[in-house]
Amino acid sequence: DVKVTQSSRYLVKRTGEKVFLECVQDMDHENMFWYRQDPGLGLRLIYFSYDVKMKEKGDIPEGYSVSREKKERFSLILESASTNQTSMYLCASGQGDSPLHFGNGTRLTVT
Amino acid sequence: AQSVTQPDIHITVSEGASLELRCNYSYGATPYLFWYVQSPGQGLQLLLKYFSGDTLVQGIKGFEAEFKRSQSSFNLRKPSVHWSDAAEYFCAVGNTDKLIFGTGTRLQVFP
């Protein structure tokens, strides 16, 4: 079974802090994604990556950046956290005709 | 523009009753279509997918969905709901490289 692991289930950070959300997948998938989930808005794509060291902006990239130094790891970075970035963050991976597989999510609270 | 609409934000059914969750999409090409389920505090789990062929697809947990091209719909159905089906359900459209999600339908099941 594909496993997508997000390093933290819950995080509490202060406004202005730099925040790293880590995601690791174990199926050698080329594609990895970061989504943000908010009530009434569904899942919105922040960034995605089709290969090591490449990244593409999704629908809501402002305030975020990403890093993909290794194929299995895709990190989401909040350069200066703000309260409006309080949300559930979901990482996913996939390849070819394989549907996306999701991690269990990281619930981030910025105070 | 590509989009997915789930018109029902919240549905309540009695255990044993039938269920239909609606999904309409707008997509330029023939889409891949998915239904995912999210239990509280968890990531998204794939219920079923449609890529091509038979327009009635079977998924896990007794769910099925029917692709109707003329109506741009991909509604999810289950003949008899169990209390454990209480969750949030997301319809998604796109290809396996990038998905667009609906805003979700929360299902509540009464005993």
Side-chain angles (χ1 to χ4, degrees), chain B residues 19 32 51 60 111:
Chain B
L19 173 71
Y32 291 175
F51 286 179
I60 63 171

Side-chain angles (χ1 to χ4, degrees), chain B residues 66-81:
Chain B
E66 186 171 13
F67 170 54
K68 293 185 177 180
R69 185 187 303 275
S70 62
Q71 298 176 19
S72 297
S73 70
F74 188 57
N75 294 348
L76 181 71
R77 301 193 294 249
K78 187 169 185 179
S80 178
V81 171

Side-chain angles (χ1 to χ4, degrees), chain A residues 9 31 33 35 37 40-43 45 48 50 59 90 95-105, chain B residues 32 34 36 38 40-46 49 51 88 90 95-104:
Chain A
R9 291 298 302 272
N31 307 331
F33 305 81
Y35 287 89
Q37 182 181 11
L41 297 177
L43 277 74
L45 183 62
F48 59 101
Y50 291 156
D59 300 318
L90 291 167
Q95 182 167 323
D97 282 347
S98 169
L100 292 188
H101 294 264
F102 284 83
N104 283 338
Chain B
Y32 291 175
F34 305 83
Y36 283 85
Q38 184 182 36
Q42 302 296 315
L44 274 67
Q45 180 184 20
L46 180 70
K49 63 184 185 290
F51 286 179
E88 189 152 22
F90 292 93
N95 55 49
T96 51
D97 290 338
K98 190 176 177 185
L99 290 183
I100 301 166
F101 284 84
T103 53

